[in-house]
Amino acid sequence: MDEKDHINLLKQALAVSADAFIIFDSEKRIFFVSDHYRRVYPQNADFLTPGASVYEVFDRMAEETGVAVEDPRYKHAKDFWYDLKGQIEFPLENGRYLRVTASPLPDGQGTIVSTTDITEYKKQERALAAKQRELERALEKEQEATAVQKQFISMVSHEFRTPLAIIDGNAQLMERRPDELSGETVLKRTKAIRGAVSRLLQMVDGVLSANSLQTGMLKPVLQQFDIAALIGLLCEEQRMVHEALELALEIKLADDEVVWDRKLITIILSNLLSNAVKYAPESPKVNVSCYEQDGHIHIVVADNGIGIPEHEIPYIFEKFYRATSAASIPGTGLGLSLTQELVNLLGGTIQVHSKFGQGSSFAVLLPREVRIKDDNNSAG
Ligand code: ADP
């Protein structure tokens, strides 16, 4: 084989390579272009001719690919071609991606520029990045769930202790001196026990409802019922448990019949009413009103209790959040987050006004015509 044969062999080898090659001499003029280049980029064939300078080549390439001077890709590519050093990745208009690499030839004889189509690689890279983001999100959710679980365990162990201690303490007292106890004392102790049991039940109910909501098991079931009667009943329940409670009720509706989910409304109103009484421990005065405005029914529960510090109001609907003012009063911090989610589930909103040391008022606004979204995400 003479030298010409060698060169031909080399040209054929380069032609079948997956990459396209241009070799520039030390003056940055084209010395050789592989056939692959002409085949894959035929539109460049007429200016990729031996002797053409890299500057001309770049100008024609920019024109051919429609990359204007103001295009950010222009400067990026220009720097590479003028310098003939390093590597660039270049996106084309048709969605394809090229990687162009300049490798110096030995002894400053010139530069070999190889162009690789990396479209598939880029596609996979994007798919991988999307997968990674998905995994990161799943991990975040998992961590959040674990944190909520930890909070829940610490809350349960702390908050359930108080009523249990009340029950146990009162039972012990009665056990120790059963003969000496007057009827009145027994009644007092039993009342304390029943109060603690009712608080425990409320906490358990709240936790169960919150959990059902989380797992999407709590789906609204619409039925017709008398809202005025339900509010009256729930207020009566509070009166029975708290003798000192002063409760004023005012209902002004053109029609007391609504088509809502009775069970969910009961959870919502019970939470607000029991909070109103619980956070006004001295002598609770609670005003409940219900009226209609602009197609919405407003149910407002206002108390004269301890109130909420202004800067803490934005957080009270968060799971497990308890305001500093509530530190001495037992609770789980779950009631309002559940209440808000249920109100939203029924297409309504909940508003709060509170003045620290003076009282709070919670207003639930529900559309008279409730429409339930029929998708799997509607329960959160
Ligand atoms: P819990 O009452 O079990 O702590 P909630 O989610 O029902 O949980 O309430 C969250 C927090 O909001 C309470 O800890 C309390 O700080 C505050 N809060 C709720 N209702 C009232 C109210 N009527 N008066 C004062 N603070 C309230």
Side-chain angles (χ1 to χ4, degrees):
M1 247 200 240
D2 61 16
E3 194 178 337
K4 219 168 146 200
D5 291 336
H6 275 120
I7 291 179
N8 272 337
L9 186 66
L10 187 64
K11 280 185 180 174
Q12 281 163 20
L14 291 178
V16 294
S17 156
D19 296 345
F21 297 94
I22 309 176
I23 301 176
F24 290 92
D25 64 16
S26 55
E27 303 286 308
K28 295 190 178 172
R29 290 185 177 278
I30 291 185
F31 167 69
F32 169 81
V33 178
S34 73
D35 279 351
H36 179 126
Y37 219 113
R38 297 189 214 281
R39 210 173 51 244
V40 182
Y41 311 103
Q43 67 278 25
N44 296 354
D46 67 320
F47 58 84
L48 290 180
T49 46
S53 84
V54 75
Y55 311 110
E56 288 167 53
V57 168
F58 170 73
D59 285 349
R60 293 293 304 275
M61 272 185 179
E63 200 179 306
E64 199 59 57
T65 45
V67 177
V69 182
E70 54 281 2
D71 188 319
R73 287 177 300 168
Y74 184 90
K75 182 170 182 325
H76 186 49
K78 186 178 170 185
D79 289 348
F80 170 81
W81 284 101
Y82 274 40
D83 235 21
L84 277 185
K85 277 198 191 103
Q87 187 176 70
I88 53 166
E89 288 184 359
F90 196 81
L92 295 176
E93 298 299 322
N94 57 10
R96 301 202 74 78
Y97 239 97
L98 300 180
R99 176 183 288 150
V100 193
T101 312
S103 319
L105 292 172
D107 306 326
Q109 290 182 80
T111 312
I112 177 161
V113 175
S114 60
T115 303
T116 316
D117 188 325
I118 55 164
T119 312
E120 283 309 310
Y121 164 80
K122 278 280 170 193
K123 250 190 224 162
Q124 282 171 12
E125 193 180 61
R126 274 197 298 271
L128 263 175
K131 198 91 208 144
Q132 186 179 348
R133 274 196 301 278
E134 210 176 283
L135 279 171
E136 277 168 2
R137 270 199 294 270
L139 182 68
E140 249 171 52
K141 263 197 164 167
E142 189 66 37
Q143 285 170 337
E144 225 170 79
T146 313
V148 167
Q149 217 165 16
K150 272 193 189 154
Q151 247 176 324
F152 175 68
I153 291 169
S154 87
M155 178 276 293
V156 166
S157 50
H158 181 246
E159 294 304 332
F160 282 37
R161 260 171 204 284
T162 318
L164 285 173
I166 294 173
I167 295 169
D168 195 43
N170 282 287
Q172 275 184 34
L173 277 173
M174 291 198 281
E175 188 183 45
R176 240 180 271 145
R177 294 171 291 154
D179 307 334
E180 296 166 30
L181 295 178
S182 66
E184 198 185 328
T185 316
V186 172
L187 219 59
K188 206 171 123 198
R189 303 270 170 240
T190 327
K191 205 164 186 172
I193 290 176
R194 293 199 63 193
V197 168
S198 116
R199 209 156 69 216
L200 269 177
L201 279 178
Q202 228 173 48
M203 286 194 209
V204 171
D205 277 351
V207 170
L208 288 181
S209 311
N211 201 38
S212 318
L213 195 65
Q214 219 163 31
T215 53
M217 278 158 50
L218 218 70
K219 293 267 187 288
V221 180
L222 299 184
Q223 69 196 108
Q224 186 172 338
F225 63 93
D226 183 328
I227 184 67
L230 179 66
I231 296 176
L233 185 80
L234 296 174
C235 288
E236 210 40 57
E237 272 179 19
Q238 292 297 328
R239 273 202 197 101
M240 277 184 339
V241 190
H242 309 275
E243 268 168 18
L245 170 66
E246 277 181 45
L247 204 149
L249 176 59
E250 189 181 10
I251 299 183
K252 278 189 202 151
L253 291 175
D255 181 2
D256 290 348
E257 292 292 317
V258 289
V259 183
W260 291 342
D261 183 314
R262 192 175 196 276
K263 193 171 145 224
L264 299 191
I265 295 290
T266 306
I267 300 177
I268 293 169
L269 297 182
S270 297
N271 273 336
L272 295 183
L273 282 169
S274 62
N275 272 356
V277 179
K278 184 168 79 172
Y279 292 111
E282 297 301 325
S283 51
K285 282 199 184 79
V286 176
N287 286 319
V288 180
S289 56
C290 178
Y291 56 91
E292 198 160 353
Q293 205 171 53
D294 305 327
H296 279 74
I297 294 182
H298 297 226
I299 305 173
V300 186
V301 179
D303 64 59
N304 65 333
I306 58 174
I308 303 160
E310 196 178 343
H311 65 279
E312 296 189 55
I313 295 179
Y315 307 109
I316 59 168
F317 294 101
E318 282 175 16
K319 242 181 219 146
F320 300 109
Y321 187 85
R322 307 203 65 229
T324 47
S325 48
S328 62
I329 300 166
T332 62
L334 280 173
L336 281 183
S337 103
L338 171 71
T339 304
Q340 186 180 46
E341 284 195 57
L342 295 182
V343 171
N344 291 343
L345 202 58
L346 295 172
T349 50
I350 180 162
Q351 298 169 352
V352 53
H353 292 282
S354 187
K355 272 239 166 334
F356 182 51
Q358 291 181 21
S360 313
S361 123
F362 288 83
V364 173
L365 279 69
L366 284 166
R368 192 176 254 288
E369 303 286 334
V370 166
R371 274 191 195 84
I372 307 299
K373 273 186 266 157
D374 190 20
D375 64 44
N376 292 333
N377 297 326
S378 62

